[in-house]
Amino acid sequence: MLTKKEQRLRRARQTRVRIAQQGAVRLTVNRTNLHIYASVISADGSKVLASASTAEAEVRTQLGAAGKGGNAAAASIIGKRIAEKAKAAGVEKVAFDRSGFAYHGRVKALADAAREAGLQF
C-alpha cells in the first residue's frame, strides 16, 4: 500500500509526463504547512524562469506575523507575484503543474490569482 506522499508523487509524475508531451512552460506549485512555493520552469525543464514563495523576505513583511504563509490569502499574493515575474521573463502562457496536490484551498487560490494577474493556463 502506498503512503500519502507516494500517492501524491505518483499523481505528480503522471501530470509532468502529459505536460512534457505538450512541450509547454510549466507553473509548478509546492505547499508545506508553513509556506507555498511557485516556479515557472522552461519547456525542456532545464531552467527556472521565475519563482516566488512566502519564504521571501519581501513577502513575509507584507504578510505580517510569522506563520502567516500557510493560508489562502498568502497563496493569492504568491499567485499575483509569480504572474508578474513570469510576464517580466516573457512568459504569457503556462501549463499548471499542481504537483499532485488537490486543486483546492491554497493551490486553487494561487491559480486563480495568477489567472487574474494575466497568466494563461
Side-chain angles (χ1 to χ4, degrees):
M1 186 149 139
L2 297 174
T3 65
K4 189 174 182 179
K5 184 177 180 181
E6 289 169 340
Q7 290 173 351
R8 182 185 68 78
L9 292 174
R10 182 178 155 274
R11 288 190 301 270
R13 199 172 18 240
Q14 291 171 339
T15 303
R16 289 189 183 123
V17 166
R18 283 194 298 270
I19 292 172
Q21 288 174 345
Q22 293 174 359
V25 175
R26 62 189 170 114
L27 169 61
T28 63
V29 175
N30 187 30
R31 66 177 174 82
T32 63
N33 288 337
L34 293 179
H35 296 289
I36 190 156
Y37 307 87
S39 300
V40 176
I41 300 174
S42 65
D44 60 356
S46 64
K47 271 189 183 176
V48 175
L49 305 174
S51 66
S53 75
T54 54
E56 295 174 359
E58 188 177 319
V59 176
R60 289 175 66 118
T61 58
Q62 190 176 1
L63 291 173
K68 295 287 185 184
N71 58 24
S76 63
I77 290 170
I78 296 304
K80 290 175 191 161
R81 194 168 166 86
I82 194 68
E84 291 167 3
K85 287 184 175 184
K87 283 183 166 182
V91 177
E92 293 287 327
K93 194 169 186 176
V94 296
F96 188 62
D97 179 2
R98 56 190 174 84
S99 301
F101 295 109
Y103 188 78
H104 175 73
R106 290 188 282 159
V107 175
K108 184 178 180 190
L110 188 143
D112 291 342
R115 278 193 192 101
E116 287 175 16
L119 210 55
Q120 296 177 347
F121 54 93

